[in-house]
Amino acid sequence: MIGRRIPRIDGPIKATGEAKYTTDIYLPDMLVAKMLRSPLPHAKILNIDISKAKKIPGVKAIITGRDAWDIRHGFIETPRYPADQYCLANDRVRYIGEEIACVAAVDEDTAYEAIDAIKVTYEELPAVFDIFEAIKPDAPDIHEFRLPDLIEPFKNVGGRCANSFGDMEAAFKKAYLIREDRFETQLRTHCYLEPQATVAYYDVNGKLNVWTSSMGVFRKRMHLSKILHMPLSKIRIHKSWVGGAFGGKIDLFSHEFCTSLLSIKTGKPVKYVAERDEIFSYFRHGQPMVIDLKTLVAKDGTILGQIVRCYNNCGAYRGSGVVCIFLCWGFIILPYRIPTLDYIGYSIYTNNPVRAPQKGHGAPQVRFAVESQLDIIAEELGIDPIEIRLKNARQKGDILPNGDTIKNAGLIECIEEIEKKTDFRKKYSKNLKEVKQYKNNTRFRRGIGIGVSSYFTGTLIYPHNSAAIIKFNDDGTVQCYTGALDIGQGAETILAQIIAEELSIDIKDIEIIAGDTDNTPVDIGSWISGLTYVTGNAVKKASEDARKQLLSSAAIYLNVHMDSLDMRDRIIFVKDNPERSITFSKVLENHIRDHKGDPIIGKGFFRGLKDAEHGPSLKNAKGAWSDSYAFDAQVAEVEVDMHTGKIKVIKATTAHDCGFPINPLLVEGQIDGQVSMAAGQALSEEIIMEKGITLNPSFLEYKLPIATEMVENDYIDIITEEYKKGHHFHTKEVGEGYVSGILAAIANAVYNATGVRAKRLPIRIINNLS
Amino acid sequence: MQLPHFKYHAPRSINTLNALIEKMKGQAIIMAGGTELIPRMKMRLIQPENLISILKIKELEHIKIKKDKKIEIGATVRIDNLVNFFKENRPFNAIFQAANMVGSQQIRNMATIGGNILQNTRCKYYNRTLQWQNIMPPCHKRGGNICYAVKNSKRCFAVYQGDMAAPLIVLNGKGEFLFDKNFIQKPLEDIFTGNGAMPFNVGKGVLIKFILPQPEDGLISTYKKYRIRDGMDFPIAGVAVAIKIKNKKIDDIKICLIGVSSAPVVIKDIKDFISEKKLTDKLIHEISEIVYNQAHPVENTDGDINKRRYMIKQMTFEAIKELIDGYDK
Ligand SMILES: Cc1cc2nc3c(=O)[nH]c(=O)nc-3n(C[C@H](O)[C@H](O)[C@H](O)COP(=O)(O)OP(=O)(O)OC[C@H]3O[C@@H](n4cnc5c(N)ncnc54)[C@H](O)[C@@H]3O)c2cc1C
Ligand code: SF4
């Protein structure tokens, strides 16, 4: 079962429309919630008058900041980075679209009528949208907050992460070439097809039942409990299927709080579904970044040191910006050996909507910069892109500056294999030569480019761990209880495969009961690229536990030592004499009879970074970060129409060291998705904003690639890990790492085709058309 | 996003349609495929009390080739039917090209040719939900007196992006409208005002059909569209070219642009410019330059305006070159 290309077990219910998403949940007497949002990017709220709105027939409750206690929330809540955002604006709004009031009414029209009837008096304040304007001494203060250790004369710094090591002076002395560039990445969004949606129902027993489109039910429950002043035990997050998230649904959102509070106030179920233009305009997108990158190299291309400054526009509240600037450090030190580093990342407040993680969370930004610059350097030194990467690639046994060990690294093999498979060197130098000889008369030009990336596999952040329970039906079929939430990546399929492998049963004999805070054990969630590793190991251990119990019980009934037994298809048999056997069903029946009713329940749990107390420091990047790191090399082949500037990614090849692929089909599915996302980021996607207003808030205008523009993919497996019975496995992530190398590869391929070096995304070659 | 409340009518004949319109004293809105109207209603850009669907009127849904070789296209003929009808039709290739690139397959299945021609002008500051609009004071097109796209402008520059208008205009198509029980024919290029806020001068007239003249010998046409993606997207620049070749020379040429102004732009002075000139690449470049100089897009839809203008030149060149190179084959 492990390593097999099993189709998704949730396929049929999704293909037939049977799967219930949050938007599909209808409860009797359910009310509709709509949100009043700030029309101003920065203002004091002087008064909110809801008296007229309250009187509209059909309006059941209206809440404003006054109903929301004085509690703030944040993606990160630490002494250094205290929570900075109210669920409903209190006395001030800091971006267009910030939530001010929420109405529950009998239908949508009535809710909107009430929204229109609420009168808010504002005192407008000066606003700032650009990061370099926002740090100036005369910029308006978006928050009172000051970082205690900030040494720069910058305003509006929401977070700072600094880390340096090595002898920079010596590196400068040794350097043969010093290259300095600025790279900029655009504001992009997740484009989950299922909109943000929540149904909340506060029942007569005082329990708050919540269905919400999320990435992890236990994290949502923790946030809601804090912000609602309710014990965890009084909140139940139910499972509903999730139609994509890509990082955009992990934070707490205002509507989750508001539907809950409105249900508490009215005693009725309350549903909120975000409009698509609300999502595009006011919800959390990814993190646009400016990266100043200075790289010092020796004559042979060995990197001697890097000086990096990342400026992240985190929007009006901290969001995940401070995590992103820590991660950017990580993506600088990961795939290549960097002996000397001077890194500072700033997360800067502006009067824009707040930002969230988005697939890669810093990696696409950093890899685009580093891989582009590496190609520039290679060309200046007269060495090829493959050689410079091989020279600097991390290898097994490397110790990262924070102390983490690279236990297994297939990067060198990834680069070597991809070179062979794509005939990279030959194509690259041929194209480069041709570009230099062109007299602007070849219309369609081909280019090839490479990018390298590495990604971590889970870290410690609440809820830190996963647990799982395996129980049996009388017929020996299995139910697994896990808090994991399948958000479309195939979590349930992977977990079922692990159980099937451990218990040697058919996948059809397994039912996964998942993602419910009351009915399933704790789970880390579908984020930080840790689910298969952390939850997968918990499920593996639970299965092992169940297997062991079954075998030891069967050994008694078959009168042999348990080591001589094996199992298949719900039958336990003697290895040397398979005729001597007993069914799971019979073992269970006997076991219950002979063990005071014990039905055999397997229990398993797992937490990564077993020696670490907590995750790494966001201030200085010190401390353990992850147990293992995935590596990849990716090659893009593009065709550029020099008459129209149209760039097409013809083919993408990914050589990946994802540890051990539990299901190669799903690994490829993840790669396909990430390659198409990278193509969108490279070529067409951008949220266009003007003074805090989004000008393309629809799928018509936000240029997500369409079906006919999907890229043809090829894959190379570099397998560095093993799946062994009796040991926890060290698979690596596949959910986020493959969006970055290919992004850089596309930019490098465009250069190879045209001689135009993109320093800003999306890539435009308008000024160089023939 | 829900629709506002409205009364729905679906007459089965032109007579009942007439009676309905009369009864409603011009207060009703005509709906065909609804692909353009429904989104505008959801955004509350238009809130008709009465909606008259014309899809049940059989007379409007046929394409006919008349005895005199004129082609009549009923107003509710679906775009997808046009794709099939004009496939491999050399003189009318522009219609096939344009129809084939309207929106997506789903849109083409629903969308009608009448609705395509009479679709409203668009702007990134206008085609927005009510909640979005509440953030900004109304511009000219919403009854205010400012313009966001062209700062300090006294008028609206919302852009006309109906793909089908360009080919129908270069092929000298006419529209037949029903005004107060009278059927009136107008050359298509005459129905536009050029004012983004009120793009048509046909008021409450109902478009009944289009009439294309019999194709003359040597007529060839094509359409080029610039959009960001391979599908879904409106034209952010479009060029239709019709050429009549006689004795290996261009005897007549008509060029119409779309997506760069509040109305289709019929290129002026082009026929005289080419008269009796030899057909060379240089000449085509010169024609493209003339066309380029008559395209003045503003920043109110996808893409960069310089690129849109540049693409007009590029596509004009390609269109003419393709037509001429293909002619002998
Ligand atoms: C995602 C998307 C993409 C699109 N892409 C394109 C594109 O690439 N190119 C393009 O040209 N268009 C595009 N459109 C716009 C639209 O779908 C088409 O223009 C379509 O042809 C409109 O036809 P319809 O029958 O749906 O019109 P409707 O929506 O029914 O009507 C459009 C307008 O015309 C009026 N009207 C319709 N028929 C008559 C009549 N017989 N008499 C009088 N008035 C009438 C209506 O009152 C309304 O104002 C797109 C739309 C969407 C939603
Ligand atoms: S062009 Fe100006 S006036 Fe017209 S819709 Fe756009 S912003 Fe409004």
Side-chain angles (χ1 to χ4, degrees):
Chain A
M1 278 301 156
I2 288 296
R4 298 227 331 243
R5 308 172 71 87
I6 309 244
R8 291 253 296 270
I9 59 173
D10 51 334
I13 57 161
K14 286 187 174 166
T16 54
E18 211 175 279
K20 291 262 178 290
Y21 295 81
T22 302
T23 41
D24 299 321
I25 290 170
Y26 291 93
L27 300 176
D29 259 352
M30 194 162 73
L31 302 175
V32 174
K34 286 288 164 194
M35 203 70 83
L36 173 69
R37 298 175 177 281
S38 169
L40 298 172
H42 199 187
K44 269 192 198 150
I45 299 178
L46 301 180
N47 187 41
I48 306 176
D49 178 5
I50 58 168
S51 55
K52 250 198 192 152
K54 252 172 39 188
K55 286 189 200 126
I56 296 172
V59 172
K60 298 296 178 191
I62 301 175
I63 52 172
T64 67
R66 255 180 248 150
D67 302 283
W69 302 283
D70 193 17
I71 308 179
R72 301 175 208 227
H73 67 98
F75 182 87
I76 287 295
E77 297 179 13
T78 62
R80 178 177 168 80
Y81 297 134
D84 62 355
Q85 184 172 13
Y86 291 109
C87 279
L88 288 171
N90 210 312
D91 53 349
R92 202 148 141 200
V93 280
R94 294 180 172 87
Y95 67 93
I96 291 177
E98 183 163 357
E99 298 84 357
I100 292 176
C102 194
V103 174
V106 288
D107 58 30
E108 190 180 302
D109 288 349
T110 313
Y112 273 132
E113 199 186 329
I115 291 289
D116 290 343
I118 299 172
K119 290 276 157 288
V120 186
T121 326
Y122 301 97
E123 179 190 321
E124 199 165 349
L125 299 169
V128 61
F129 306 96
D130 175 81
I131 40 177
F132 296 114
E133 291 300 318
I135 59 175
K136 283 185 181 163
D138 56 347
D141 282 303
I142 298 173
H143 292 270
E144 268 95 67
F145 173 82
R146 293 279 168 282
L147 260 187
D149 53 318
L150 186 71
I151 41 176
E152 297 84 349
F154 295 165
K155 265 199 169 174
N156 292 312
V157 176
R160 179 180 187 274
C161 176
N163 178 277
S164 53
F165 51 82
D167 184 347
M168 193 58 83
E169 218 172 288
F172 267 100
K173 275 193 196 131
K174 268 204 270 173
Y176 174 78
L177 184 90
I178 300 168
R179 176 82 208 182
E180 195 172 354
D181 298 279
R182 169 168 285 191
F183 294 91
E184 289 178 54
T185 59
Q186 77 274 44
L187 179 61
R188 233 164 26 109
T189 194
H190 311 80
C191 297
Y192 33 78
L193 279 190
E194 184 207 13
Q196 295 265 2
T198 303
V199 173
Y201 177 40
Y202 186 67
D203 68 23
V204 285
N205 297 320
K207 186 129 198 170
L208 179 67
N209 296 275
V210 178
W211 294 257
T212 192
S213 185
S214 85
M215 298 169 70
V217 290
F218 289 90
R219 214 175 148 79
K220 288 282 183 191
R221 185 179 68 162
M222 172 273 288
H223 276 303
L224 276 177
S225 149
K226 263 193 205 168
I227 205 90
L228 286 164
H229 265 295
M230 272 174 91
L232 285 170
S233 60
K234 287 290 178 196
I235 302 173
R236 174 175 175 194
I237 316 283
H238 293 250
K239 171 177 172 174
S240 48
W241 289 101
V242 180
F246 315 113
K249 291 177 177 171
I250 188 68
D251 302 66
L252 177 75
F253 287 90
S254 175
H255 64 268
E256 293 170 322
F257 165 81
C258 290
T259 46
S260 300
L261 188 56
L262 285 167
S263 182
I264 292 170
K265 288 204 182 265
T266 58
K268 294 192 174 195
V270 178
K271 182 180 198 169
Y272 173 88
V273 179
E275 300 289 353
R276 186 58 67 178
D277 78 321
E278 281 184 293
I279 294 173
F280 273 114
S281 299
Y282 316 125
F283 277 72
R284 298 178 176 207
H285 306 317
Q287 322 252 353
M289 201 167 303
V290 176
I291 299 174
D292 285 334
L293 180 64
K294 191 184 253 186
T295 302
L296 291 65
V297 288
K299 198 170 178 186
D300 67 353
T302 306
I303 299 172
L304 301 172
Q306 279 182 323
I307 301 172
V308 189
R309 298 290 178 267
C310 289
Y311 302 90
N312 176 43
N313 188 337
C314 75
Y317 296 95
R318 209 174 270 119
S320 75
V322 292
V323 178
C324 192
I325 53 169
F326 155 75
L327 290 173
C328 285
W329 164 84
F331 303 126
I332 290 277
I333 57 117
L334 258 182
Y336 301 128
R337 292 170 165 172
I338 311 291
T340 315
L341 180 73
D342 170 2
Y343 173 88
I344 308 178
Y346 304 93
S347 193
I348 295 156
Y349 286 130
T350 55
N351 293 106
N352 287 302
V354 193
R355 279 37 189 291
Q358 181 174 8
K359 216 177 251 293
H361 209 185
Q365 295 90 322
V366 165
R367 296 323 306 160
F368 163 61
V370 174
E371 299 294 311
S372 297
Q373 196 190 55
L374 209 57
D375 265 25
I376 302 175
I377 291 171
E379 199 184 339
E380 284 182 22
L381 293 176
I383 50 186
D384 73 56
I386 299 291
E387 194 184 330
I388 199 162
R389 285 173 173 80
L390 285 173
K391 190 144 272 151
N392 293 292
R394 285 220 173 267
Q395 294 176 30
K396 182 176 173 165
D398 278 11
I399 311 276
L400 297 182
N402 67 334
D404 284 359
T405 307
I406 301 290
K407 296 190 188 94
N408 261 323
L411 181 55
I412 299 248
E413 280 157 282
C414 283
I415 299 171
E416 283 170 346
E417 291 302 316
I418 208 162
E419 196 289 319
K420 270 187 241 154
K421 189 149 192 191
T422 60
D423 206 5
F424 186 92
R425 280 196 172 103
K426 207 168 122 203
K427 287 183 188 164
Y428 182 85
S429 53
K430 178 174 165 274
N431 295 336
L432 207 60
K433 219 181 278 159
E434 279 176 13
V435 164
K436 290 189 174 149
Q437 290 162 359
Y438 274 130
K439 294 191 178 64
N440 279 347
N441 52 7
T442 312
R443 177 163 180 182
F444 293 99
R445 295 189 194 168
R446 289 284 177 114
I448 191 166
I450 186 170
V452 158
S453 185
S454 174
Y455 214 81
F456 68 109
T457 308
T459 188
L460 290 181
I461 186 163
Y462 185 86
H464 309 292
N465 66 328
S466 293
I469 293 166
I470 295 284
K471 86 179 180 59
F472 294 92
N473 297 309
D474 292 349
D475 60 1
T477 55
V478 171
Q479 283 171 327
C480 170
Y481 288 75
T482 163
L485 191 62
D486 194 324
I487 58 170
Q489 84 279 44
E492 294 194 5
T493 306
I494 293 287
L495 301 178
Q497 276 183 271
I498 292 171
I499 300 164
E501 176 78 15
E502 293 297 326
L503 295 176
S504 310
I505 55 175
D506 194 317
I507 208 145
K508 289 196 189 71
D509 291 336
I510 300 162
E511 189 185 359
I512 306 284
I513 293 154
D516 181 320
T517 55
D518 269 18
N519 288 347
T520 62
V522 64
D523 191 83
I524 191 156
S526 290
W527 68 310
I528 52 159
S529 283
L531 189 129
T532 300
Y533 174 54
V534 180
T535 310
N537 271 309
V539 166
K540 184 171 194 283
K541 287 175 154 190
S543 309
E544 279 167 5
D545 183 28
R547 180 188 175 97
K548 214 178 274 165
Q549 292 185 53
L550 276 175
L551 288 179
S552 76
S553 194
I556 298 169
Y557 305 120
L558 292 172
N559 204 11
V560 289
H561 190 271
M562 72 182 266
D563 289 349
S564 62
L565 292 176
D566 204 349
M567 51 174 68
R568 187 172 311 124
D569 295 333
R570 290 188 276 143
I571 294 169
I572 297 170
F573 55 89
V574 180
K575 281 184 222 164
D576 300 339
N577 181 9
E579 303 281 274
R580 263 179 82 194
S581 64
I582 182 169
T583 61
F584 277 18
S585 172
K586 195 72 195 159
V587 175
L588 291 164
E589 188 187 325
N590 294 353
H591 194 90
I592 289 168
R593 185 192 63 212
D594 301 338
H595 291 81
K596 301 181 184 163
D598 177 1
I600 298 191
I601 293 175
K603 168 178 146 189
F605 44 84
F606 194 79
R607 174 188 186 269
L609 293 171
K610 63 180 171 35
D611 299 325
E613 216 171 288
H614 45 69
S617 157
L618 297 180
K619 177 182 169 189
N620 56 26
K622 300 243 157 76
W625 176 19
S626 191
D627 277 338
S628 58
Y629 295 90
F631 292 90
D632 64 86
Q634 294 178 294
V635 164
E637 294 175 65
V638 302
E639 184 180 82
V640 184
D641 181 340
M642 295 307 288
H643 286 185
T644 64
K646 178 113 184 151
I647 303 164
K648 233 170 134 174
V649 183
I650 295 165
K651 192 168 179 186
T653 307
T654 297
H656 61 90
D657 158 22
C658 74
F660 185 85
I662 290 181
N663 184 335
L665 197 61
L666 294 192
V667 170
E668 288 166 17
Q670 286 294 315
I671 293 173
D672 292 352
Q674 290 173 76
V675 166
S676 77
M677 282 182 191
Q681 176 168 18
L683 305 179
S684 57
E685 288 179 46
E686 180 164 20
I687 292 275
I688 299 165
M689 295 196 77
E690 197 178 281
K691 295 191 176 144
I693 297 172
T694 303
L695 295 183
N696 55 344
S698 74
F699 277 124
L700 183 62
E701 294 145 296
Y702 181 82
K703 302 300 178 187
L704 188 71
I706 59 172
T708 52
E709 296 170 329
M710 292 296 106
V711 178
E712 184 194 326
N713 279 301
D714 198 1
Y715 326 88
I716 304 167
D717 300 332
I718 305 294
I719 294 172
T720 55
E721 302 279 351
E722 263 181 287
Y723 182 98
K724 279 192 233 153
K725 291 227 158 147
H727 294 269
H728 77 252
F729 64 88
H730 263 287
T731 197
K732 304 176 181 182
E733 75 83 37
V734 286
E736 299 193 71
Y738 306 120
V739 70
S740 309
I742 193 67
L743 174 68
I746 295 169
N748 285 338
V750 169
Y751 175 80
N752 186 236
T754 64
V756 180
R757 172 59 62 192
K759 297 227 176 137
R760 199 193 173 280
L761 296 176
I763 304 167
R764 296 272 176 269
I765 56 166
I766 172 168
N767 297 327
N768 302 74
L769 299 177
S770 46
Chain B
M1 222 188 305
Q2 287 180 350
L3 280 167
H5 295 272
F6 57 87
K7 284 198 199 94
Y8 180 77
H9 312 267
R12 287 173 187 273
S13 70
I14 292 189
N15 281 345
T16 38
L17 170 70
N18 254 328
L20 265 173
I21 293 177
E22 199 166 44
K23 195 170 132 205
M24 280 152 201
K25 302 196 174 67
Q27 291 310 303
I29 293 285
I30 302 291
M31 180 169 88
T35 59
E36 194 264 343
L37 186 63
I38 297 280
R40 268 193 297 135
M41 285 171 65
K42 283 193 166 184
M43 291 173 179
R44 307 300 193 264
L45 291 168
I46 178 169
Q47 298 200 42
E49 228 170 88
N50 288 288
L51 205 63
I52 304 180
S53 165
I54 53 170
L55 289 181
K56 292 215 166 106
I57 307 177
K58 287 267 177 290
E59 301 148 75
L60 303 184
E61 59 180 45
H62 301 295
I63 309 184
K64 283 179 248 170
I65 304 178
K66 306 292 270 191
K67 280 207 194 87
D68 57 5
K69 298 265 176 62
K70 277 185 188 158
I71 299 181
E72 280 189 11
I73 307 170
T76 63
V77 168
R78 311 283 180 159
I79 301 291
D80 192 53
N81 293 348
L82 290 179
V83 174
N84 295 324
F85 188 86
F86 287 101
K87 206 178 262 171
E88 283 160 33
N89 183 330
R90 207 165 170 200
F92 295 133
N93 182 40
I95 299 183
F96 165 76
Q97 294 289 352
N100 203 24
M101 289 189 280
V102 168
S104 62
Q105 185 61 51
Q106 288 89 335
I107 297 281
R108 293 192 289 274
N109 292 343
M110 276 310 283
T112 68
I113 175 75
N116 191 286
I117 298 298
L118 291 177
Q119 66 177 279
N120 211 314
T121 48
R122 305 176 61 85
C123 174
K124 63 183 173 188
Y125 299 93
Y126 176 73
N127 296 83
R128 293 283 167 257
T129 59
L130 198 58
Q131 287 69 43
W132 192 99
Q133 292 169 29
N134 285 342
I135 296 169
M136 296 176 112
C139 65
H140 296 301
K141 200 164 164 68
R142 282 200 287 131
N145 53 11
I146 38 170
C147 173
Y148 297 105
V150 182
K151 310 277 178 262
N152 303 325
S153 164
K154 294 252 179 309
R155 74 172 186 89
C156 170
F157 285 91
V159 57
Y160 180 74
Q161 293 178 296
D163 271 311
M164 299 312 301
L168 292 186
I169 287 173
V170 295
L171 294 164
N172 296 320
K174 281 185 185 156
E176 185 175 290
F177 291 83
L178 175 66
F179 291 102
D180 297 331
K181 298 184 188 165
N182 302 317
F183 293 92
I184 295 169
Q185 288 192 2
K186 278 181 166 224
L188 266 190
E189 54 212 87
D190 293 349
I191 68 168
F192 297 91
T193 62
N195 174 358
M198 294 278 281
F200 303 104
N201 60 22
V202 284
K204 299 282 174 193
V206 181
L207 184 49
I208 299 296
K209 65 183 172 209
F210 299 91
I211 303 114
L212 290 171
Q214 175 191 357
E216 293 177 59
D217 283 346
L219 178 69
I220 42 179
S221 71
T222 193
Y223 176 73
K224 298 271 170 199
K225 172 171 178 171
Y226 173 44
R227 53 184 170 177
I228 306 287
R229 295 177 289 195
D230 291 348
M232 275 276 274
D233 293 349
F234 280 87
I236 53 178
V239 185
V241 181
I243 291 177
K244 210 177 87 197
I245 305 258
K246 208 168 159 186
N247 303 330
K248 301 208 165 172
K249 279 207 178 121
I250 296 184
D251 183 46
D252 198 358
I253 182 167
K254 194 166 177 184
I255 299 176
C256 179
L257 310 182
I258 222 77
V260 289
S261 173
S262 296
V265 180
V266 180
I267 301 300
K268 290 187 272 270
D269 310 328
I270 197 91
K271 201 178 156 189
D272 295 343
F273 175 76
I274 53 152
S275 73
E276 295 304 309
K277 285 193 182 131
K278 232 183 117 198
L279 265 179
T280 58
D281 276 8
K282 187 169 162 276
L283 181 71
I284 306 175
H285 274 300
E286 284 165 4
I287 298 171
S288 310
E289 204 63 41
I290 291 174
V291 174
Y292 175 79
N293 287 328
Q294 293 180 37
H296 302 287
V298 303
E299 200 76 71
N300 55 5
T301 180
D302 304 337
D304 171 275
I305 45 171
N306 295 323
K307 176 80 184 279
R308 283 164 64 201
R309 255 193 111 192
Y310 164 86
M311 285 301 291
I312 286 284
K313 181 159 62 176
Q314 192 65 40
M315 292 190 299
T316 306
F317 180 85
E318 266 170 40
I320 301 175
K321 181 101 174 112
E322 227 173 81
L323 284 175
I324 288 169
D325 288 354
Y327 187 75
D328 297 331
K329 280 165 204 157

